[in-house]
């Protein structure tokens, strides 16, 4: 069963979805003919290919196909029309690849060499000469079906046999999307003439959803959208480095189940719409429009945005192509007045929604965009995208009859709160601050462990070495580590979890798989020898430990969870167990202390979220429903302890964020938002000063950022940060480590395979010379204990003192002097005032001189002294450009001198000869003015010509000159030539009279 709808609404303003029952088995692929919008090809597990002549969705669809093919190769997986020839199809069975001429139904034109495993994707080259395929055997193959049945190029190039896609890019480049050996999604660019190695590659996170690539052949813009993702990325493909450069990053509100591009002829070109995507979701199709901001939008056609595109008339028949023809489809203009007249077929539906699940269909294989800078796209879904830079939208939606609740949500999101952190920028600091050459990292720590831990002075990293060894690195000593063995902490058993004491930068707690917790004291200055004896051992759990957490306010208190389904609290100063909490029915995923240190929250595999008050009860004081998924979860307190944020999975294994009220867990989730599909649990870090929650997972490349607010919509999405390679963990430092002069709101360390890299998150601000007191409220001194463990256990409560992060030499931005308003427009009298010709001429000459540069300032080359040899090439180019500037400045001086002289000579013009005066009137330039421009004193033809050629060349527009100055030079030469002609005539007359 297929669902069909048109791109544009019907006569009643609504979209109609009709259905067509086309196969007896699952529809595996489909494709519209590039030359007939009403011709749809489908293939299925019933081993048939069918061509359907569709009607308008408002009418009844045909019950029988126009043509049925029976390849007889088993289940059919792929179907693709030829880009230049009519009636030509590429059909992929499980391992077979066939070329069919629909006018000859008995047998295929060619049966290409069988693949050794299942076919995954096909793509015709734009000129129709070659056909490329990807296969589960990790091979890339390029066929020339008319020359030979075997591949003309093949190589084992893919790194993973999971699903892949292939597209022909510019020239001889091929683009593939798939997975690497670590099962991270990637996109690679290949030279089809050399498939042994890729030209470039992109790593796009560890999500399990397939990446759908869509390419605009005219501009080289590439769209990458992942199944299950809420992100659509746009890249520009170039045949030169950097090959793939990102253009935009669009955040959507609904997870993607498929994506297509609307044909160019359907775009609103008068509104500067250069691309429109259709995002297929669970219950709707959402259009995403890309528009270029231009003046006179809606009034003029901007030809530079729309190159001629491929038309809808086939270049040849299938038989002509098979006989060796290589004709190309004629291109057409997108100008509304020059477009080809639409035939009835072209008004038929051009896009479709597949109702059956599990299909491999890429809803479209071509798109239309522009290489001009784009505004970040916005979707017109029921809940508009909260992308940080969403500025343009569609003039109409695509959702059929949105419900009142959807309309209310749309209005609420449009008028609701926006985050001042929406443009937050994450970046990795300079390589000089990295700790590199890490070896032997333990990459298999349990999911409840963050992977490593940091404090303001040190980093602790578990190693994959027998004996549960832990490396300790001093943050004050970055650089490359030696290849020799380093002193470590010998924990004796495998490390399950570890964390630093928040009030003692030397104390490290390590939980082992022997159900014991060991506390180690790192010497001041770092490890100089291997530590083998812990300061104290905490034992009492009956089975392996899940996780450990220090109390945020009281010194010497530690809580741990275990496979014995208990949570135990320890006094690390005495080594005694002080509390035993029960009530969990399964694995404890995570624990979190409330900001005031009174309560302890936990999320469990039994599907429950619990809150304990350890000093009052050993059982939960509150309990509520947790995430549906059982793959892992994390919990953190937000909004001053009023809410609990839980990151987990839903029943479809999609990563989700859930918000609970800490006062009423039993009432369930008050808000949730979907993130993406990925197997790793998101680890949240919450900053109470800014209410930002930063999330990432082990193995991800993307760091997500949300602002959590105590009102609807609760989650305000901000810009995300992507790393160049998958990281193994991300841990954050105290707020005191942030550089407030650069408006850093969070700072952390990112663990990769071979390095520890500092990462900072900055808020872009204009007046960074002032202290941004709206971003930096007084922060808690979380590195100092507020009370002792005995005081807390006896019932006392405390809170951290707070300090300002403002440096003494900075002024708060709230106290910055107010700038006087600048008038944007001049008063109307300025424009209405009538100016004399002399005033206009003076203003024109002043503008010319200002453009050529300040004559009084020294030239840049005058400051050049010693120049390194490796910079000669750069300075040589500067010297050439500056030489032109010198000539231009000399010319500007001449113009100013000429202007002064022309005023002095104005009184003498009445005494000039009648013929010379007439010439001056005709050319609009006096003799003296022309001589000053060409810098000649005598009327010598050779000198005039030489000066003219030099000044004309110097002021050529191609070398930075001015067309206006060139015209002045030409007019000056014409005036002097006219004067020479007058003098020659006078001399002739005198000679005749004599």
């Amino acid at each position: 069963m297929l669902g069909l709808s048109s791109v544009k609404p019907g006569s009643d303003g609504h979209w109609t979805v009709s259905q067509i029952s086309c196969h007896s088995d699952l529809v595996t692929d489909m494709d519209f003919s590039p030359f007939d919008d009403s011709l749809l090809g489908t293939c299925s597990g019933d081993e048939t290919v069918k061509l359907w002549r569709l009607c308008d969705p408002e009418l009844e669809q045909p019950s029988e196909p126009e043509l049925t093919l029976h390849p007889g190769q088993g289940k059919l997986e792929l179907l693709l029309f030829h880009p230049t020839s009519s009636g030509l199809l590429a059909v992929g069975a499980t391992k077979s690849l066939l070329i069919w001429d629909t006018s000859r139904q008995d047998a295929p034109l060619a049966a290409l060499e069988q693949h050794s495993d299942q076919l995954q994707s096909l793509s015709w080259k734009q000129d129709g000469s070659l056909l490329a395929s990807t296969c589960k055997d990790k091979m890339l193959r390029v066929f020339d079906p008319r020359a030979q049945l075997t591949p003309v190029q093949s190589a084992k190039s893919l790194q993973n046999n999971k699903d892949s896609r292939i597209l022909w890019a510019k020239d001889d480049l091929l683009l593939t999307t798939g997975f690497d050996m670590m099962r991270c999604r990637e996109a690679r660019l290949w030279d089809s003439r050399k498939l042994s190695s890729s030209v470039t590659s992109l790593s796009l996170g560890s999500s399990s959803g397939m990446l759908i690539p869509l390419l605009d052949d005219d501009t080289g813009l590439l769209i990458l959208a992942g199944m299950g993702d809420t992100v659509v990325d746009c890249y520009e493909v170039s045949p030169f480095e950097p090959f793939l450069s990102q253009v935009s990053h669009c955040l959507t509100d609904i997870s993607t189940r498929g994506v297509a591009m609307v044909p160019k002829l359907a775009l609103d070109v008068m509104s500067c719409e250069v691309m429109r995507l259709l995002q297929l979701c669970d219950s709707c199709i959402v259009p995403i429009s890309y528009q270029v901001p231009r003046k006179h939008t809606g009034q003029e056609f901007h030809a530079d945005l729309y190159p001629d595109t491929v038309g809808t008339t086939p270049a040849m028949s299938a038989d002509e192509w098979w006989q060796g023809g290589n004709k190309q489809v004629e291109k057409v203009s997108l100008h509304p007045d020059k477009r080809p007249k639409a035939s009835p077929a072209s008004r038929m539906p051009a896009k479709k929604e597949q109702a059956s699940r599990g299909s491999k269909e890429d809803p479209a294989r071509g798109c239309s965009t522009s290489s001009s800078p784009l505004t970040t796209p916005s979707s017109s879904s029921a809940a508009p995208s909260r992308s940080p830079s969403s500025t343009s939208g569609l003039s109409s939606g695509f959702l059929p009859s949105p419900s009142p609740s959807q309309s209310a949500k749309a209005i609420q999101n449009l008028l609701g709160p926006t985050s001042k952190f929406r443009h937050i920028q994450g970046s990795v600091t300079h390589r000089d601050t990295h700790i590199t050459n890490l070896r032997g990292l333990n990459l298999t720590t349990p999911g409840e462990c963050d992977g490593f831990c940091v404090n303001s002075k040190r980093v602790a990293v578990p190693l994959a070495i027998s004996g549960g060894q832990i490396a300790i690195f001093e943050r004050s000593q970055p650089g490359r580590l030696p290849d020799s063995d380093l002193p470590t902490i010998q924990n004796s058993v495998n490390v399950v979890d570890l964390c630093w004491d928040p009030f003692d930068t030397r104390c490290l707690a390590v939980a082992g798989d022997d159900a014991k917790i060991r506390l180690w004291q790192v010497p001041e200055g770092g490890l100089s020898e291997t530590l083998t004896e812990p300061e104290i051992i905490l034992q009492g759990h009956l089975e392996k430990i899940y996780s450990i957490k220090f109390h945020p306010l009281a010194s010497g208190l530690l809580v741990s969870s275990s496979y014995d389904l208990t949570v135990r609290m320890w006094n690390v100063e005495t080594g005694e167990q002080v509390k035993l909490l029960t009530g969990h029915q399964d694995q404890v995923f995570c624990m979190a202390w409330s900001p005031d240190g009174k309560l302890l929250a936990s999320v469990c595999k039994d599907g429950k979220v619990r809150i304990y008050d350890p000093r009052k009860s050993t059982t939960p004081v509150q309990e509520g429903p947790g995430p549906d998924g059982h793959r892992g979860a994390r919990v953190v307190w937000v909004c001053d302890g009023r809410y609990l944020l839980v990151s987990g999975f839903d029943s479809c294994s999609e990563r989700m964020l859930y918000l609970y009220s800490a006062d009423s867990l039993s009432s369930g989730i008050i808000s949730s938002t979907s993130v993406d599909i990925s197997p790793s649990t998101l680890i949240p870090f919450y900053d109470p000063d800014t209410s930002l929650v930063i999330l990432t997972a082990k193995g991800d490349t993307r760091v997500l950022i949300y602002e959590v607010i105590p009102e609807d919509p609760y989650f305000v999405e901000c810009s995300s940060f992507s790393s160049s390679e998958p990281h193994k963990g991300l841990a954050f430092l105290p707020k005191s480590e942030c550089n407030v002069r650069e408006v850093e709101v969070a700072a952390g360390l990112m663990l990769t395979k071979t390095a520890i890299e500092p990462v900072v998150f900055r808020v872009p601000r204009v007046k960074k010379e002032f202290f941004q007191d709206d971003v930096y409220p007084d922060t808690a001194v979380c590195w100092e204990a507020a009370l002792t463990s005995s005081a807390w256990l006896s019932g006392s409560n405390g809170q951290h003192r707070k300090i300002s992060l403002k440096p003494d030499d900075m002024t708060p931005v709230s106290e910055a002097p107010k700038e006087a308003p600048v008038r944007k427009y001049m008063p109307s009298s300025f424009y209405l005032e009538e100016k004399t010709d002399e005033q206009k001429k003076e203003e024109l000459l002043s503008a010319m001189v200002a453009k050529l540069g300040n004559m009084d300032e020294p030239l840049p080359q005058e400051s050049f002294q010693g120049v390194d040899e490796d910079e000669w090439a750069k300075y040589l180019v500067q010297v050439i450009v500056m030489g032109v500037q010198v000539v231009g400045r000399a010319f500007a001086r001449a113009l100013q001198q000429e202007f002064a002289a022309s005023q002095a000579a104005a009184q003498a013009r009445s005494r000039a000869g009648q013929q010379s005066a007439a010439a001056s009137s005709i050319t609009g330039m006096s003799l003296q003015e022309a001589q000053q421009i060409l810098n000649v004193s005598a009327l010598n033809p050779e000198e005039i010509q030489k000066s003219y050629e030099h000044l004309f060349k110097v002021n050529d527009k191609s070398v930075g000159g001015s067309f206006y100055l060139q015209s002045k030079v030409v007019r000056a030469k014409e005036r002097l030539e006219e004067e020479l002609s007058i003098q020659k005539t006078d001399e002739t007359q005198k000679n005749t009279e004599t």
Side-chain angles (χ1 to χ4, degrees), residues 188-492:
R188 287 182 176 268
L189 204 61
W190 309 81
D191 188 336
S192 61
R193 299 162 296 185
K194 183 183 177 182
L195 297 179
S196 57
S197 62
S198 60
V199 175
T200 189
S201 64
L202 289 172
S203 180
L204 297 164
S206 57
S207 177
S208 59
M210 175 196 65
L211 277 175
I212 302 175
L214 304 172
L215 182 73
D216 175 20
D217 296 330
D218 296 334
T219 62
L221 288 186
L222 170 70
I223 292 294
L224 293 178
M227 298 287 284
D229 287 2
T230 56
V231 172
V232 178
D233 288 309
C234 180
Y235 294 85
E236 183 176 6
V237 182
S238 170
F240 311 103
E241 289 187 356
F243 298 108
L244 290 174
S245 53
Q246 189 162 12
V247 176
S248 68
H249 181 77
C250 176
L251 303 177
T252 62
D253 289 311
I254 311 176
S255 298
T256 300
R257 304 304 176 198
V259 67
M261 280 191 177
V262 173
K264 280 189 173 179
L265 292 173
L267 297 179
D268 185 3
V269 296
M270 297 306 292
S271 297
C272 295
E273 182 186 35
V274 295
M275 178 166 58
R276 192 190 310 163
L277 304 181
L278 298 183
Q279 179 198 18
L280 177 64
C281 304
D282 288 327
S283 59
C284 60
I285 296 176
V286 180
I288 303 174
S289 177
Y290 291 73
Q291 296 177 346
V292 177
R294 288 289 180 89
K295 292 183 179 180
H296 310 297
T297 298
Q299 303 174 9
E300 298 179 3
F301 174 76
H302 298 270
D304 59 313
L305 299 181
Y306 302 101
D308 290 350
T309 189
V310 174
T312 57
T313 303
M316 52 191 162
S317 64
D319 186 63
E320 289 174 329
W321 177 83
W322 184 247
Q323 297 300 324
N326 286 310
K327 297 179 182 178
Q328 298 302 301
V329 177
E330 183 179 355
K331 293 194 173 185
V332 297
S333 172
L334 290 175
H335 195 291
D337 297 334
K338 300 178 182 178
R339 290 188 182 185
K341 298 298 182 181
S343 62
S346 67
R347 291 192 296 268
M348 303 306 285
K351 291 287 173 284
K352 67 280 177 185
E353 178 181 354
Q354 184 170 344
S356 59
R357 299 292 180 90
S359 170
K360 296 183 178 182
E361 164 65 3
D362 297 349
R365 306 179 189 271
C367 67
S368 172
T369 59
S370 170
S371 57
S372 301
L374 303 180
T375 56
T376 303
S378 64
S379 63
S380 56
S381 60
S385 173
R386 292 187 295 273
S387 172
S389 53
S390 294
T391 55
S392 63
L394 287 171
S395 56
S396 61
F398 199 71
L399 292 174
S401 303
S403 64
S405 62
Q406 290 174 325
S407 300
K409 185 178 180 182
I411 295 172
Q412 188 178 40
N413 278 285
L414 287 173
L415 302 180
T418 60
S419 173
K420 59 185 173 185
F421 305 103
R422 60 188 178 276
H423 299 306
I424 189 171
Q425 299 170 351
S427 63
V428 177
T429 61
H430 193 272
R431 186 175 176 83
D432 290 346
T433 62
H434 299 186
I435 300 174
T436 60
N437 196 32
L438 296 184
R439 293 173 292 118
L441 298 184
N442 184 1
L443 303 179
T444 59
T445 53
E448 294 76 28
C449 176
D450 292 348
F452 77 123
C453 61
V454 304
N455 62 28
S456 59
K457 293 185 177 180
R458 296 176 179 87
V459 185
V461 181
L463 302 178
I465 303 175
S466 60
Q469 297 189 37
I470 303 169
I472 305 295
F473 304 110
E474 298 292 310
R475 290 189 56 233
S476 60
Q477 301 173 11
R480 179 181 173 86
L481 298 174
D483 293 331
S484 58
D485 293 336
L486 297 172
T488 60
I489 292 177
Q490 190 81 34
N491 194 60
S492 303

Side-chain angles (χ1 to χ4, degrees), residues 545-775:
I545 295 173
Y546 289 127
S547 60
I548 54 178
K549 286 283 189 300
F550 276 99
H551 195 279
L553 293 170
S555 62
L557 276 182
L558 179 72
V559 67
S560 61
S561 63
S562 167
Y563 276 74
D564 61 13
L565 305 184
T566 64
V567 174
R568 300 173 189 253
M569 192 176 299
W570 310 86
N571 186 333
V572 299
E573 297 172 354
T574 62
E576 298 177 353
Q577 175 184 309
V578 294
K579 296 289 180 181
L580 174 64
L581 307 180
T582 60
H584 295 94
Q585 305 299 319
D586 207 329
Q587 176 182 355
V588 180
F589 286 140
C590 183
M591 303 175 296
W593 286 102
S594 62
D596 58 11
K598 298 178 181 179
L599 305 175
L600 179 70
S602 69
V603 57
C604 182
K605 193 175 181 179
D606 61 8
K608 299 290 185 179
V609 178
R610 297 176 174 88
I611 293 180
Y612 291 84
D613 189 341
R615 293 178 294 185
K616 295 182 178 180
S617 173
T618 60
T619 58
V621 295
Q622 284 196 69
E623 189 174 286
D628 295 332
H630 305 293
R631 301 178 62 175
R634 292 296 181 100
V635 61
V636 66
W637 296 76
V638 298
C639 299
D640 298 323
R642 287 182 288 169
Y643 297 94
L644 285 176
L645 184 145
V646 176
S647 65
F649 297 84
D650 63 8
S651 57
C652 299
S653 296
E654 186 170 3
R655 295 198 293 195
M656 302 285 294
L657 297 180
Y658 303 96
L659 199 65
Y660 298 83
S661 172
D663 295 330
S664 58
L665 279 185
S666 58
S667 60
I669 300 167
I670 61 173
S671 181
S672 66
T673 183
S674 62
V675 180
D676 56 15
I677 296 177
S678 183
S680 302
T681 305
L682 287 169
I683 302 172
F685 164 77
Y686 179 72
D687 177 22
D689 295 344
T690 59
S691 197
L692 289 178
V693 60
I694 303 175
L695 305 110
T696 190
K698 290 186 281 188
D700 280 7
T701 59
R702 189 173 171 217
V703 179
L704 303 165
I705 305 173
Y706 292 85
E707 183 180 7
V708 184
I709 57 177
E711 59 183 14
D712 195 49
Y714 296 102
F715 297 102
V716 181
E717 190 166 7
C718 304
S719 298
S720 62
F721 161 68
S722 295
S723 57
S724 58
E725 61 176 312
H727 49 259
K728 309 307 174 188
L730 181 62
F732 285 86
L733 298 166
K735 200 62 174 283
S736 59
E737 298 297 312
C738 294
N739 183 358
V740 297
R741 298 181 188 276
E742 294 297 328
V743 202
E744 294 176 4
V745 294
L749 297 179
M750 182 170 63
L751 179 66
T752 67
K753 286 183 181 179
T754 60
I756 298 174
E757 303 174 352
V759 179
V760 295
F761 295 86
R762 300 185 178 100
V763 178
R765 287 294 173 94
V766 175
K767 299 179 180 179
K768 291 200 294 185
E769 66 273 16
F770 295 101
F771 177 71
Q772 309 294 318
D773 50 350
D774 62 322
V775 172

